[in-house]
Amino acid sequence: MGMQGDLFQLLKEQGYQFGQPTVAGAGVDLPSATTILAFKYRDGVLVAGDRRATAGNMVMYDRTDKVLEIDRHSVMAIAGVPATAYEMVRILEHSFKYYRRTQLQELSFEGKLRAVSKLLKENVPAALAGTGAVVPVFAGYDFEQGAAKIFFYDILGAEFEGVDYAVSGSGSPTIRGILHYVNTWGERSLATMTEEEATVQALRLLTSAAEFDSATGGVNRESSLYPIIKLITQDGVRIVPDDRLKPLFESKVVRHA
């Protein structure tokens, strides 16, 4: 009998299995996702991701949403195989909702972290087979601590807290160095930036990642394609719309001759 409010146990009792590898992924080009980032700013946490999905050397899609809202105060940004990542997000979304409806209260932030870790551990066989590796960044507002928080994971489900920021994906080595530099020696630390300053910083970081990593998509001005940027505060999750990103990109990111 499953523990009350535990959707995972209920799914298992109904015969659902997550993370079962198909044939080993050798020779199969699976779509994968690339650069995601999260950092704390003055009012909460900013989470951002580029839009490109690739399979080997081929660009499969340039409008992928890699920053996915799980509930009103939680977001998971995904790097890895989109099919597996989207299934994880759907399970988490329904699991949090199931807990809220059966227990008549929100799942604690600690409980949400455990749920992400548990799903990643269930997915280890598929990840090791090369058919379903996912390396997410989870961010949300912890009401017990009164603060927005960032956590990142490895493919085995180990969980680490990002004190100031976290990155993942193939473009992450480039922007990790920039984040360290800006946060340590910049005019202002990340945590003191306003919403506008943080948004500009995220646009610059993802543009830098796209410059050096072919699997990261940059801004496409002709198609009005901009990264997905979401903000998490005590009031909930909010997306920064394209009509806000466009003037900031034109005035604060593009270097005009």
Side-chain angles (χ1 to χ4, degrees):
M1 188 72 180
M3 186 173 63
Q4 278 192 323
D6 189 341
L7 180 66
F8 297 150
Q9 188 61 38
L10 180 64
L11 289 173
K12 282 186 175 180
E13 290 172 1
Q14 298 297 319
Y16 176 83
Q17 291 183 313
F18 183 78
Q20 294 301 304
T22 55
V23 181
V28 179
D29 284 337
L30 297 169
S32 59
T34 43
T35 304
I36 53 174
L37 64 94
F39 63 83
K40 295 179 183 176
Y41 71 107
R42 190 185 62 185
D43 302 325
V45 168
L46 178 149
V47 187
D50 77 296
R51 309 291 299 273
R52 177 171 292 177
T54 60
N57 294 324
M58 183 178 296
V59 177
M60 298 294 292
Y61 194 53
D62 63 359
R63 297 171 188 265
T64 309
D65 184 355
K66 305 173 187 177
V67 184
L68 304 168
E69 188 174 337
I70 298 178
D71 65 13
R72 288 177 294 176
H73 294 92
S74 305
V75 160
M76 193 164 88
I78 56 171
V81 177
T84 306
Y86 288 144
E87 186 176 7
M88 282 186 183
V89 169
R90 281 194 292 271
I91 292 174
L92 289 170
E93 182 180 355
H94 287 292
S95 177
F96 294 176
K97 189 181 297 182
Y98 180 76
Y99 184 91
R100 185 168 61 249
R101 289 181 177 176
T102 57
Q103 303 302 304
L104 303 179
Q105 61 181 337
E106 295 285 343
L107 183 62
S108 67
F109 189 75
E110 191 69 22
K112 294 177 182 178
L113 294 175
R114 297 286 90 74
V116 177
S117 183
K118 188 175 181 179
L119 263 185
L120 287 167
K121 286 174 181 170
E122 295 274 342
N123 188 54
V124 167
L128 295 180
T131 57
V134 177
V135 190
V137 171
F138 182 86
Y141 196 86
D142 184 347
F143 282 93
E144 293 181 5
Q145 299 292 324
K149 294 183 176 180
I150 305 167
F151 284 81
F152 59 100
Y153 297 79
D154 65 15
I155 63 170
L156 303 180
E159 167 193 299
F160 309 92
E161 182 170 6
V163 177
D164 297 308
Y165 56 83
V167 295
S168 186
S170 57
S172 62
T174 299
I175 61 174
R176 181 181 288 113
I178 298 173
L179 277 164
H180 176 74
Y181 184 91
V182 169
N183 199 41
T184 307
W185 296 291
E187 292 183 1
R188 302 185 63 175
S189 65
L190 296 168
T192 63
M193 289 183 175
T194 63
E195 179 182 317
E196 178 176 312
E197 291 170 333
T199 302
V200 170
Q201 192 64 53
L203 288 170
R204 289 175 176 173
L205 287 163
L206 289 172
T207 300
S208 299
E211 181 71 20
F212 296 102
D213 175 39
S214 62
T216 298
V219 169
N220 186 333
R221 297 157 74 187
E222 292 181 352
S223 301
S224 296
L225 273 178
Y226 294 89
I228 298 291
I229 299 179
K230 292 183 180 176
L231 308 170
I232 307 169
T233 66
Q234 186 175 8
D235 296 329
V237 178
R238 178 164 55 88
I239 188 168
V240 182
D242 286 350
D243 60 7
R244 177 63 179 145
L245 295 179
K246 183 176 180 179
L248 289 177
F249 184 82
E250 295 292 338
S251 62
K252 301 290 181 66
V253 180
V254 175
R255 290 180 64 86
H256 297 286

